[in-house]
Amino acid sequence: MLPAQPNQSLIDGLACLHALAASPAALGSRELARLLEFEPTRTNRLLKTLAHLGLAEQDEKRKYRVGPAIHVLGVESLHTSGFIDRAVEVLKGLDGEHLTVAMGVLWQDVVCYLYHQYPSHTDGGTVRHRPVPASTSGLGLALMAQMSDDELRALYAVRSGAQRDGPTGLLEQVADARRQGYALFAAGGGERTIAIVLGGSLHAAIGVSGIFPDGDIPGLVSDLRSAAAQITETG
Amino acid sequence: MLPAQPNQSLIDGLACLHALAASPAALGSRELARLLEFEPTRTNRLLKTLAHLGLAEQDEKRKYRVGPAIHVLGVESLHTSGFIDRAVEVLKGLDGEHLTVAMGVLWQDVVCYLYHQYPSHTDGGTVRHRPVPASTSGLGLALMAQMSDDELRALYAVRSGAQRDGPTGLLEQVADARRQGYALFAAGGGERTIAIVLGGSLHAAIGVSGIFPDGDIPGLVSDLRSAAAQITETG
DNA sequence: GTCGTTAGGTGCTACTGTAGCAACACTTTG
DNA sequence: CAAAGTGTTGCTACAGTAGCACCTAACGAC
């Protein structure tokens, strides 16, 4: 995973960018240096470099925030390789009358939605949903089922340092998902999610959420698998 | 703009990332090195570093493509500072029955849409639209009207090398937008866009597009200005 | 199957891009 | 207003980086 010779400047520059993206307010360069425990001059140079690239910018108080090029990069990323575009078209056709349809990817312990469509059709496949903790998402469960228990433990050991095995019951839920070939997650309020991972090396999952009787599960799983097959077929 | 001491590793690492994001297919490390005219070992290390951060990943043929963390970064960027979230709420309320509503930012010579809502309400404020050439977008015109003619010339000299003044008539269109305080762009097929920039240091524009008579223009401009005021008020 | 070519990636070490110190101008706070 | 904090620069030492030589893996042609 880690290369023989990682580039520390790139790592630290991107740490600055990520801190800006995650901050609810613009950050001063020394403030960011303190936050990340970097030397101030260095931080300023990394930020200025990011600003030169349009990925960051300064506000009228000279504080730094993300810049327009990050949006260009984010949007371009949605269109690269083609699988996401293809998936969006397939998932549009998966619309149930009363279910939310979603697709997402897992990174560390969060799920990031790349497609999310409420039954009301009001969010049109938006990618505007904030990343959520993977353990609170059916898609996250499905994706984590592709990891070994040791990998999961390592993930949560780093992350929270308090719950070695991740949130209570997670390993059992993940084991169920592995056994069944799909994740069934009780989201609360009677709502549940069924999710499966896409094949190949895509590391994405698709799922449907809402209120449905147990008897609907096999059919929904079948629909998801059919959609997954369409998404992953060579294009 | 360029700091006294830019960090070249960060610049080149991000060039690799951008090339992946912009590529329709996954790229081998040497292939990317040739594309960017970088030394292969260095390229491999930059890519491996990006992969370690989750911003890139390898497919089953060991070729590189963007990784899940880039989507997390992209989505977080939409939520940072709050102005975009605030704008989305305001723009939802701007819905005309027959007009497309949009918001975007300018980076180099492209406009990237951060909100885009068709009259049919089927895209739900999506950010899925690919960036478009700024000169083909009313929002782009409005944003370019904030730049000097020299800045515009410099932008297009670098970009296309063939049209020093940008696309034909661009400077005139931009001058009109400056004079009027809004951009009016004829998109074709009878469709037009009216766009204005948001105040402060936000570098974003909002606009409405569709078919409307000249007599509607003042009212639409007024609606846009009212929306802009709501978006930029202190929050 | 073999062979040749291209690929992704590593270890070593020279070197140059980067980092930190000292300093400056600017901004904010009390 | 003065003091404190800020964003940023120039200089130069040095350590992170780059490139060479090499390895293993993968692919395509025969």
Side-chain angles (χ1 to χ4, degrees):
Chain A
M1 183 58 80
L2 195 61
Q5 199 176 300
N7 188 301
Q8 200 60 45
S9 284
L10 182 55
I11 290 168
D12 294 344
L14 287 165
C16 291
L17 184 58
H18 184 252
L20 293 185
S23 172
L27 296 168
S29 64
R30 292 191 187 223
E31 186 181 359
L32 183 58
R34 288 194 297 272
L35 183 67
L36 298 177
E37 295 178 3
F38 288 175
E39 197 274 328
T41 310
R42 180 158 185 264
T43 307
N44 180 268
R45 289 184 177 133
L46 292 172
L47 285 172
K48 277 285 190 185
T49 300
L50 291 172
H52 170 61
L53 298 174
L55 294 167
E57 67 183 4
Q58 288 176 279
D59 67 14
E60 60 287 332
K61 296 187 178 184
R62 300 189 300 174
K63 287 175 184 288
Y64 288 88
R65 64 191 176 207
V66 293
I70 198 165
H71 301 306
V72 175
L73 184 62
V75 171
E76 280 178 330
S77 306
L78 291 172
H79 294 288
T80 191
S81 302
F83 105 81
I84 298 177
D85 285 335
R86 202 159 56 238
V88 168
E89 290 310 311
V90 172
L91 294 175
K92 281 181 180 172
L94 189 58
D95 279 349
E97 292 298 317
H98 55 293
L99 300 178
T100 294
V101 182
M103 174 173 71
V105 293
L106 173 67
W107 173 241
Q108 298 185 340
D109 64 334
V110 298
V111 167
C112 180
Y113 291 104
L114 300 181
Y115 178 87
H116 196 287
Q117 174 67 278
Y118 287 122
S120 60
H121 292 256
T122 55
D123 52 350
T126 186
V127 293
R128 207 173 292 280
H129 290 268
R130 289 175 186 266
V132 300
S135 59
T136 65
S137 154
L139 272 61
L141 282 190
L143 289 161
M144 287 192 284
Q146 306 284 101
M147 298 163 70
S148 70
D149 284 3
D150 281 347
E151 283 171 322
L152 278 173
R153 287 197 184 97
L155 178 62
Y156 279 96
V158 170
R159 279 282 124 188
S160 62
Q163 306 188 308
R164 309 182 60 79
D165 290 348
T168 305
L170 180 67
L171 289 186
E172 287 76 36
Q173 287 177 300
V174 168
D176 285 348
R178 284 193 197 115
R179 191 166 49 241
Q180 294 165 339
Y182 60 87
L184 178 63
F185 177 73
E191 296 219 343
R192 295 188 289 180
T193 303
I194 305 177
I196 64 167
V197 292
L198 298 180
S201 57
L202 298 174
H203 303 312
I206 57 173
V208 291
S209 304
I211 296 175
F212 47 81
D214 286 356
D216 283 5
I217 293 176
L220 291 173
V221 171
S222 176
D223 288 345
L224 286 175
R225 291 208 170 114
S226 176
Q230 289 179 67
I231 293 166
T232 56
E233 72 192 6
T234 313
Chain B
M1 183 58 84
L2 196 63
Q5 202 175 300
N7 188 301
Q8 199 60 43
S9 285
L10 182 55
I11 289 169
D12 294 345
L14 287 165
C16 290
L17 185 58
H18 184 253
L20 292 186
S23 173
L27 296 169
S29 63
R30 291 190 189 222
E31 185 180 3
L32 184 57
R34 288 192 298 271
L35 184 66
L36 298 175
E37 294 178 3
F38 287 175
E39 198 275 328
T41 311
R42 181 158 183 263
T43 307
N44 181 269
R45 290 187 177 128
L46 292 172
L47 285 172
K48 278 286 191 187
T49 300
L50 292 171
H52 169 59
L53 298 174
L55 293 167
E57 68 183 4
Q58 286 177 280
D59 67 15
E60 60 286 332
K61 296 188 179 184
R62 300 190 300 173
K63 288 177 182 288
Y64 288 88
R65 64 190 178 205
V66 293
I70 198 166
H71 301 308
V72 175
L73 183 62
V75 171
E76 281 179 330
S77 303
L78 290 173
H79 294 289
T80 191
S81 301
F83 105 81
I84 298 177
D85 287 333
R86 200 158 58 241
V88 169
E89 291 310 309
V90 172
L91 293 175
K92 281 181 182 171
L94 190 58
D95 279 348
E97 292 299 317
H98 55 291
L99 299 178
T100 294
V101 182
M103 174 173 70
V105 294
L106 173 68
W107 173 239
Q108 301 185 340
D109 64 336
V110 297
V111 166
C112 182
Y113 291 103
L114 300 181
Y115 179 87
H116 195 286
Q117 174 67 277
Y118 286 123
S120 59
H121 292 255
T122 56
D123 53 348
T126 186
V127 294
R128 207 174 291 281
H129 290 268
R130 290 177 185 264
V132 300
S135 59
T136 65
S137 155
L139 272 61
L141 282 189
L143 289 160
M144 288 193 284
Q146 305 285 103
M147 299 163 69
S148 70
D149 283 4
D150 282 346
E151 283 172 321
L152 278 174
R153 288 193 183 99
L155 178 61
Y156 280 96
V158 170
R159 280 282 120 186
S160 62
Q163 305 186 312
R164 307 182 63 79
D165 290 348
T168 303
L170 180 66
L171 290 186
E172 287 74 37
Q173 288 177 299
V174 168
D176 284 347
R178 287 193 195 116
R179 189 165 50 241
Q180 293 165 340
Y182 60 87
L184 178 63
F185 178 72
E191 297 222 340
R192 295 188 290 179
T193 301
I194 303 176
I196 64 168
V197 294
L198 298 179
S201 58
L202 298 175
H203 305 309
I206 57 175
V208 292
S209 304
I211 296 175
F212 47 81
D214 286 355
D216 282 3
I217 293 175
L220 292 172
V221 171
S222 177
D223 288 345
L224 286 175
R225 292 211 169 115
S226 176
Q230 288 180 66
I231 293 168
T232 56
E233 71 191 8
T234 315

